[in-house]
Amino acid sequence: MVFNNIVSSPLGNLSLQHALDLTNIYLENASKAQHSDIALVLCHDAEVALSQAKKSAKRIKDQAMLHGIATAYIGLGRELDNRGRTSEAQESYKKAEKWGPTLPAERKIKQGNFIATIPQHIFAENIPPPSIVTKLPDIDARLTSTPQLACCLSLLKASHSLDDVLEPIARTWIQAVEKDEDEKERLKVLSLDVIRAYKRDELKDAKVVAEVVYLAPVLEKDMFRDLLKEFYDGVDRSALLDFYQLDGLAQLIQGADTGYLDADDLVKILGLVSTRLRQTHQQSQKHMYQLTLTASHVLDAMADTKVDGLDREKLHEPLSVYLDSLKESPDPYLVYQAAYAYQALQCVPDDETLWQATLRRTGKVIQGVSGLVSAVKGLDLNGFVDGLKDIQQGMAGASEVIQTIKSAYDGANSLVSGGQGFIEGLKEGLSFKRKCAWYPALRGADALIRDGEFSSFKKLVCEAPCRMDPAFQWGVCQRLGELAGNPMWDILTRRSAVAFLGEIYCNDEEWGQDVGIKEWILDILKRLSSPSEGVVQFAEGLLQELESKATPQQRILIRTYRQKNTISYPLRVVIPTLMSTTLLDRVQSKPDVEGSLRQLRKQRLKERGNAVYIQPQAKVGLQASDEQRFPLMKKVEDFLKSNQSVFLLLGDSGAGKSTFNRQLEYELWNTYKKNTGRIPLFINLPAIDKPEQDMIAKHLRRSEFTEPEIRELKVHRKFILICDGYDESQQTHNLYVSNRLNQPGEWSVQMVVSCRSEYLGTDYRDRFQPGDRNSRPEPGQFQEAVITPFTPDQVQDYINQYVSVHQPLWEAKDYEQALDLISGLRDLVRNPFLMSLSLEVLPRMVDPGEHLSATRVTRVALYDQFIEHWLERGKKRLSEKELSPQAKAAFESLIDEGFTQNGIDFLKRLTVAIYKEQDGQPVVKYSRFKDEKSWKTEFFSREDEKQLLREACPLTRSGNQHRFIHRSLLEYGLALAIFDPNDWKEKPLSLEQSGRRRGSTSSVFSFRIRGTAKAVISTSEQGIDLDSPLTWRYFIDEPSLLQFLTERVQQEPVFKQQLLDYIEHSKTDKDWRTAASNAITILVRAGVQFNHEDLRGIQIPGADLSYGVFESAQLQGADLRQVTLRGTCLSRADLSRAKMTAVQFGELPFLNEDAEVYSCAYSPDGKSLAVGLSSGDIKVYSTSSWEHVRTLTGHKEKVWSIAYAPNGDQIISGSNDSTARLWDVGAGTCLYTLTGHDREVNGVAFAPCGGSVASASDDSTVRVWDVGTGECRHILIGHRGIVISVAYSPRGHLIASGGWIDNTVRLWDVQTGERLHILSDHTDSIYGVTFSPRGDRVVSSSGDKTLRMWDVDNGTCSRVLTGHTNGVRNVAFSPQGDVIASSSDDKTVRIWNADTGVCHQILLGHSGVVRCVAFSPEGGRIACGSEDNTVRVWDVGFGATRQIASGHSGEILSVKYSPRGDQVASCSEDGSIRLWDVETGNCHRILAGHTDWVRDIAYSPRGDLVVSGSDDCTVKLWDVETGTCCQTFNGHTNYVYVVAYSPQGNQVASGSRDKSVRIWDIGTGECRHTLRGHTDWVRSVMYSPKGNKIASSSYDSTIRLWDVESGVCLHTLRGHNRGVTSTVYSPRSDLLASASGDCTVRLWDVEAGECRYIFIGHTKGVGIVVYSPQGGQVASGGNDGQLKLWDDGTGECIHTLAGHTERVTSVVFSSSGDQIVSGSEDKTVRLWSVASGQCQAVIQDLDSSIRSIAWSTSPDISYFVTGCEDGSVRMWKVVEESGVCHVHVHWRPVNGELNVTETSIQDVHGLSQLNKQLLKQRGAVGTPLHADRLRDASKQVLSMVSVISTLKQPLTGETGESSPASNLVNEEPGHPEQPAQSAE
């Protein structure tokens, strides 16, 4: 009532007393207000009330009233000061002085604060912080204590900043350690080991906690954070509160270095402490105190690290409420700590927005104290104290770096004068509702104490505006007590702390009379009086002094307090010297693995030496283009940074895999970090016995590691394994799996493993990927790369490095010259090992600049020279070596006999023995006692000769292990043993004599000796080598060896003849079949074609004839068991009676249906294939026999899609009849008809779990059905229009669907039906979608002719696959995820590399749209169905991995013979030029650079250059040896139709659609003349034979004759009335013939420019005209299908050559001029006699029309070449026998397609039913033998052999041992030497 009366009364009516009462009411409410706005309003009202009081006071002289006004002004000033209104507060204080200048309590007012004084001797000066003095250890010495370790790490951590203050001994120690990286690493690893030991410790008692906490401040950040996490987890996991770990957690936070604590860490820890606080409520006061203390430290750190956005609802508010509740505790220690924590919490802003705060508080959000401690550091004390005074609430203060608030001055005097107890006073004085200044003041005090700035600390305490605040005094006393009790500080400092406590206790005038503070001081002194060094007597003396000077009442208080028990909260003291170093002792007792590792590191780095090394480039897969290369080292480094497990490094032999592996090891050892780093181990796999088991331990034992060390490494360390030579070790195991790497308790590794790519089969990844065939590897655990050949820049870098390191005879420029001039050498040296060989031996092989262009260097030739050079160098080294007398005598004997030849013989014998005795395993282990009587003694005994030869050969030794320095040298040695050119005497033999074959009793062997007829090599003197390795071992799977032998064949006719001899001998002697199989494999690889050859009865079981050409070959009765015939041309060959058990064609027969095939699917077990047809039927086939099993009938219309259930017992199908049906496959019945779609069902898919299916429909929806009930679970709506396809992800949680109208792919969540992504980059309908096996990618196929690969997580398109020429109907991922198959409207199936998007195979054969494609479960086969009513099944990646030559992909536009006669060039619509070897038909160069059709080509007169003209408007000049483009002539503005070389070779002329002819200078590349005059396209350009004139013809009906020198048009020949299509000069240059669309040929006089004759006779346009080589005759070919031969002297038609039925496209005379060959659009080639005009031969079996023909330039050989519309190039040979001409194919390009057209398979033995069916489908003729007939014949043979054996055995005394011949009858299917019994 009084308040209401006062407030409601007008101010002017108030008495002085009422005005003062009203003022006090306003001030009281202002102090309680939580928000400044409200408080300031109340302060304003109080000031108004005071103004009224002053008016009344002028009339009253009552001193008490005046004192009241002064007191009110002081109170107003304090409140304004509290609310940040400092200037207004000062005005209020001045008014207080005016009204009450004699007030004793208000003396020394200075800016609103009282300043205390402390005696000067207390903390008289600042001192350096204390440090523990410990002896620094010697390098590599054992450490004696954890403080010693901490000291070492501290010095290393701050060595630069402490340099000026360090003792000399410490500075010397640091300098020594800084130079020893190993010692630095040792100390760091010791600390890491201590942390690891702590983590493994189960008890975690006070000792081990103290040890790691002691170490924590000097740890590196990652180690500190790891330790912090361990403490966090320990507190979190413990059911009961772990006091030691909680205390350790608080100390960790308190001692953390700057930047070590992240905001997220602190929030997480605070959340844990907050939770445990609430859980510990009502429990032990001690636990609550400890938790609250930890919370305080966390909040302190959060304030320092500027953490903001603390979750108000989950953390800030609950913790605030809890701390507020603790103020009711009777424990003052807990109350103080709660208040401290609360103040810290107020300094950490929460996530509440300004608007939310306004609604909740009706006030402003106040920013917290942020970065306070860091702000104190380095600042002057006055600035800090002023900051505490001047900081405005909620705003930045005067100090630029401190963000805090100023708390109101809580009147300590009122507490003292009121006589309240401490707890009550503390509750009133400590604010749990707002921020106070004592918290930042104490934080500043902490910083000053830590840095030893005690003088500043004293000043801060005395001048702080909150000095009289009991919370501030409590905190100051606590810090003084902790300082006094810390033995690390000097005794004077500690005594000063005790004296400071005495001052606060005694000086009531300065510090107040609070009983609670005095009790706290007594408690502290009592603690310090307990046994403790240095201050115990001083503290006890102070207590006695206080007691003696106290009043009686105070003396009773002191005595009572000294007798009672104090609360058992210890004073917080900086960590004392540890009494125990349990953890350090524990970790130092483990084996010293680092010492052994250090030795291994030094050894490996030393072995690396100063080697030439070029950073290799790589590509992502075998099928990827070499252009898509990347730095290999960067790729491997990224792998090592990832979580992946295995990196497979592939490459050809000599590609640099081992070199890279050693460099990788070298770099890893250089960056290796002791104790923490991953250990690189280079493991030479061939040197490890059975590396599939315990590989790492075996390797470490070889490196002399002890068993304890190996165990220690296995348990505690991680490795990078670099496994080299997987192929050389002849491994088939998955080393990662068999060694159980990264399994629990096993070795922790990342593996890099290298292998030669040519040794890999289709499923090679199974040998390397983590996991096995039965358990699919985890995604992303495997990566691979293939080393690419050197680029030109890498070649140059290698040469420069080599010259610098080795200083050879040649300089770099000499090598460059050799590479430029030696044919093929640049290609050869792209292989790094061959590069090293080349640089070493080139100076021996050629002289720079002298006839280099005539030198041909091959791989085998390089090895020949290298071995000779190596042995000669070894001989020189031995001659300079001091040898024993016996060794010297042996050495001289070897020299007398020929040291180099002896060395080569030694090498050959050794390689043969390695292959014969240990099957090619390259490492030979020799022990003198164990192997004394073995084959090894011949090579590795201590006999002088053998030792000398070993030392001279390219062998390396490691302990008792011997091996060649490179695997390829072993293979080369064996190849040399098979054929050494120096072992064969050459004897010239005529061509006729060479036709007779040795060993043949029945026929002349008709193999061709290709090349000239001058001389061939006879081997009759020596005969064939019966002991050749080819006779006793199959080498079909040794690609590197085969390459050496292939080159020998191409270089050495003797060797080729020898191989042919092997094949010939096999006809009559079965002992030769192994040699024959090897021989024909080598010959086929060398490009030898066997067209029309007599191969009857040859025995070549197991041979690889892949991509061989055997057109019209005679193979009757041949033994072809287990022969590989992938892509082999056998058209019109005779295979009758041949043995063909287990022959492999690489493809299966197609299934012929009676309706179009729209869908197909393999069963999960791969045993069945289901096919959906346009008739509505579904047919199921057995994949073992491809027999029809059953038909599922029920659908009324087309079956668009089918899918098997995961268990294979059900099929889901979708049909045009608007239904989906679920079928029981075994019973063939329909389980459910899923109805709901109202239009066609286009796509169906089974969920991986098998519980549901999805269907896509024309009704724009996708439906998900329950398999058990047939009910619809979800309808996915979103597509705009027809949905064509649907697919489940591998985990079944996603569905992908493809839209036909909206052109999008959509991803759906299966559970919710929610649409996740819309993939919308396609520009036409989506036909197919599929997920990758890992589920991370989706591939879609579209009508826009592309496939797109999408990232499932973000929906982005990662790759576009282009190549199809029409819409892409379907797409499938291989089960391994590395291959994609697509089917298309362009009638093809394409196989793509899933990683690179490169198409590496096109499957041809379908004649209609290919609707569907499916992989078999193991991924080895592809089935595809087509509208041509067939299903074709292909083997994917079957057979050889070698590259095969392929033809053009577009129409051939021109073919030309090289003037040298050794080469043919062809150009095509595909934009390329291909150079073909006349001898073998191999395409050895593809000239790529044009961007459009290449219309014409021409050779230079010397044949070394080719010029080409293209639709890209350019003319290009190419080097035929290097394949490089020498010049690009730009100038034409339209298609270039024709090009011509001048006879002198210095110019090129080109004619273009731009109506011009241009003459180009070869030397300068400049256009010398542009010949203009034609008014239409220029169709032909020709130089005169003399080269001084050019004739050009045009569609403008004219021919123009130009002077080459001047560019002047000499004549314009007019007469034709339609376009002139062709012109030709006579050999004498005096006449010119022209052909025209006007049906005539005209003959012109060149000099006169007049028409001499008009040849009339063709009934349609004439397209081509040619002159005979001798002149006198002209031949023309017309669109009427006729050729006409004209006499240029009379103009008469000599002959009309009739036979073609369509346009003649090409006509050419033979070199002799007596024959003409013509090609036509009727797909035939005809050979004509010039003399008679009769057709001598017709080639009718071509698949497309002829576009160009060229006759050989050699007059002695009758060859011609044809180029066809289908892109094929063929070489034909004209043979005359008994006056009859025959034309046989000489060679044809290998296109990889199986061709058995008209091949006879009559009575063939052993063909499987599937192969019979395949051959019949492909056009083979005849009937193979039936299996029953074979069994009957086999029984008869077995009976006969049994009788013969019985009769022979007693006579011959033969044992049971069998020769190869004895295996003929018992024929098993497993190996060629044991052919199948049932078949034969």
Side-chain angles (χ1 to χ4, degrees), residues 849-867:
E850 296 184 10
H851 310 295
L852 288 176
S853 60
T855 305
R856 184 167 181 82
V857 178
T858 62
R859 181 171 181 259
V860 72
L862 280 175
Y863 278 76
D864 288 340
Q865 288 293 326
F866 174 77
I867 289 298

Side-chain angles (χ1 to χ4, degrees), residues 1648-1660:
E1650 298 175 351
C1651 179
R1652 179 174 294 186
Y1653 296 111
I1654 302 176
F1655 302 147
I1656 300 175
H1658 286 287
T1659 58
K1660 292 184 179 179

Side-chain angles (χ1 to χ4, degrees), residues 498 501 521-529 539 542-543 546:
V498 174
L501 286 170
I521 293 173
L522 294 175
D523 187 14
I524 293 171
L525 292 175
K526 182 180 178 182
R527 294 168 194 264
L528 295 174
S529 298
L542 178 59
L543 278 173
L546 293 177

Side-chain angles (χ1 to χ4, degrees), residues 69 115 216 359 458 462 598 626 870 959 1006 1078-1079 1223 1380 1395 1465 1659 1671 1731 1736 1740 1743 1750 1768-1769 1790:
I69 293 173
I115 297 177
L359 290 178
K458 179 172 70 173
C462 292
R598 190 157 52 246
D626 285 352
W870 185 283
S1006 56
N1078 286 321
W1223 308 84
I1380 296 170
D1395 294 324
T1659 58
Q1736 296 178 313
Q1740 295 180 316
D1743 298 324
S1768 65
V1769 178
V1790 180

Side-chain angles (χ1 to χ4, degrees), residues 816-824 848-855 1521:
E816 280 295 322
Q817 185 183 17
L819 294 182
D820 289 336
L821 296 178
I822 296 178
S823 172
E850 296 184 10
H851 310 295
L852 288 176
S853 60
T855 305
E1521 296 297 338

Side-chain angles (χ1 to χ4, degrees), residues 535 649 808 970 1121 1225 1244 1360 1396 1468 1559 1565 1612 1654 1746 1817:
V535 295
L649 177 60
L970 171 64
R1121 290 166 297 158
V1225 180
V1244 290
V1360 181
T1396 65
S1468 164
I1559 300 176
T1612 300
I1654 302 176
I1746 313 304
Q1817 287 177 345

Side-chain angles (χ1 to χ4, degrees), residues 110 156 291 346 349 372 466 878 887 1185 1219 1617 1738 1787 1804:
K110 180 182 179 183
L156 290 175
L291 282 165
Q346 302 310 302
L372 183 68
C466 52
L878 289 171
S1185 63
T1219 68
N1617 55 35
V1738 182
W1787 54 254
V1804 166

Side-chain angles (χ1 to χ4, degrees), residues 50 90 196 354 614 739 863 1050 1267 1390 1513 1524 1582 1708:
L50 272 175
Q90 297 307 314
R196 288 173 176 166
L354 179 60
I614 300 296
N739 281 275
Y863 278 76
Q1050 293 165 345
V1267 170
R1390 286 182 177 250
C1513 308
T1524 56
M1582 175 172 277
V1708 63

